[in-house]
Amino acid sequence: MIDSFDARLLAALQADNQQTGAELADQVGLSSAACLRRAQRLRERGVITADVSLVAPEKVGRSLTMIVLVELEREQAERVEAFKAAMSAAPEVMQCWYVTGRADFVLTLTVRDMADYQAFSARFFDDPNIRGFETLVAMDRVKFGGAVPVG
């Protein structure tokens, strides 16, 4: 169960997980040691799943972000799992969601340029189990993050 202290701690860590125990204590209303113990317990329970740094794609030569809707020909379990595994292993894929609706998967990926995307699509979408795909090119990143509202 998440109490109000855990909720404040999670909000603070989602904003910046590099904060010191003292900085967290100021925001949460507990001692530094208590904040650090709670954070460790939240990691052990799987509430906090990773501590990562978000990288600006354009700063590392990946100027295009694509959202791709993928429709499978057949949704047999082994074919779905094979597609999930392929997308999980593809470094260009930042997010992969198995969804309901017209599309079976929604991908967010980042590439250097259109030639890079063409190579990606040839590698993964030239497959008899891919009925079709629709590519949306992101023009502007309005909001990006992974923070989950807590509390």
Side-chain angles (χ1 to χ4, degrees):
M1 191 66 152
I2 302 293
D3 64 17
S4 63
F5 292 113
D6 285 341
R8 288 195 296 274
L9 179 59
L10 287 168
L13 288 170
Q14 288 184 98
D16 178 3
N17 73 351
Q18 296 292 306
Q19 295 181 75
T20 66
E23 291 168 327
L24 292 170
D26 286 343
Q27 295 176 64
V28 174
L30 294 173
S31 72
S32 174
C35 287
L36 296 175
R37 274 194 310 273
R38 281 175 175 260
Q40 184 57 37
R41 189 174 67 244
L42 291 166
R43 286 181 182 91
E44 290 167 358
R45 290 179 31 211
V47 176
I48 297 173
T49 59
D51 291 295
V52 300
S53 295
L54 299 177
V55 175
E58 66 280 0
K59 299 289 187 183
V60 295
R62 295 192 163 268
S63 59
L64 289 177
T65 299
M66 314 288 204
I67 295 88
V68 184
L69 310 176
V70 180
E71 189 176 356
L72 300 181
E73 187 65 40
R74 291 179 202 81
E75 274 193 87
Q76 296 164 323
E78 66 276 358
R79 292 175 187 248
V80 169
E81 292 307 314
F83 188 79
K84 287 179 182 179
M87 293 303 98
S88 293
E92 302 91 343
V93 176
M94 296 167 45
Q95 297 180 346
C96 176
W97 299 89
Y98 182 38
V99 299
T100 62
R102 185 182 61 78
D104 297 306
F105 286 90
V106 176
L107 312 174
T108 303
L109 56 103
T110 183
V111 293
R112 289 182 288 277
D113 51 31
M114 285 306 288
D116 198 23
Y117 179 64
Q118 287 174 322
F120 175 88
S121 61
R123 203 164 71 238
F124 292 106
F125 302 149
D126 186 20
D127 176 322
N129 196 45
I130 303 295
R131 177 176 292 154
F133 65 98
E134 178 180 355
T135 305
L136 307 169
V137 178
M139 296 187 334
D140 187 18
R141 180 173 33 186
V142 177
K143 180 179 180 179
F144 178 82
V148 175
V150 181

